[in-house]
Amino acid sequence: METSLRYNEGKPQWSLVDFKSLEPLVRVMEYGCIKYEKNNWKKGLDLTQILESMSRHLFALMSGEIIDPESGEKHIGHLYANCMFWEYHYNKQLNEKENSRKEESK
């Protein structure tokens, strides 16, 4: 049987991700929607503050505490969330700097 051509070289292989393992992330994000509001984290976060939060959850997990006492959710979910927040805001800052440079060169 002949198959269609697909050009997937260099594209993310999402099939390598175990989505069930990301459920703690989703639970933490749901908690955030209640505590703050949906997508509040996209408004703006300081990269250092994100790393501080990430560190607190990592150290709690390393000390054997699986569940965050405030949220009732797994610390690993908070770590995932903070990693996502950091990457989002880091990329956003890079894009803003690039756009600023492009505007200045006009």
Side-chain angles (χ1 to χ4, degrees):
M1 175 180 179
E2 187 175 353
T3 59
S4 302
L5 291 175
R6 299 292 300 186
Y7 300 103
N8 291 321
E9 184 77 24
K11 294 181 181 176
Q13 296 180 40
W14 287 99
S15 62
L16 299 174
V17 175
D18 176 46
F19 293 104
K20 181 68 176 160
S21 296
L22 296 178
E23 187 174 324
L25 164 64
V26 175
R27 297 294 180 201
V28 166
M29 298 304 291
E30 291 171 339
Y31 172 78
C33 289
I34 295 165
K35 184 175 179 180
Y36 305 104
E37 64 183 51
K38 187 176 182 179
N39 293 321
N40 179 68
W41 63 274
K42 289 184 178 179
K43 291 179 181 177
L45 292 170
D46 178 75
L47 293 177
T48 301
Q49 288 180 349
I50 297 169
L51 293 174
E52 290 286 346
S53 177
M54 194 184 309
S55 297
R56 287 190 297 274
H57 288 287
L58 176 61
F59 298 148
L61 187 59
M62 290 175 71
S63 297
E65 185 179 275
I66 304 300
I67 304 297
D68 174 54
E70 179 186 345
S71 68
E73 300 299 337
K74 291 181 178 177
H75 282 293
I76 195 71
H78 288 279
L79 281 166
Y80 288 156
N82 280 290
C83 288
M84 181 178 71
F85 298 163
W86 191 93
E87 182 68 7
Y88 175 88
H89 287 290
Y90 177 78
N91 287 329
K92 185 176 177 184
Q93 287 179 13
L94 284 180
N95 289 336
E96 288 170 355
K97 286 178 185 176
E98 182 62 29
N99 290 338
S100 178
R101 276 189 235 131
K102 286 179 183 177
E103 285 296 317
E104 289 173 2
S105 66
K106 284 184 179 180

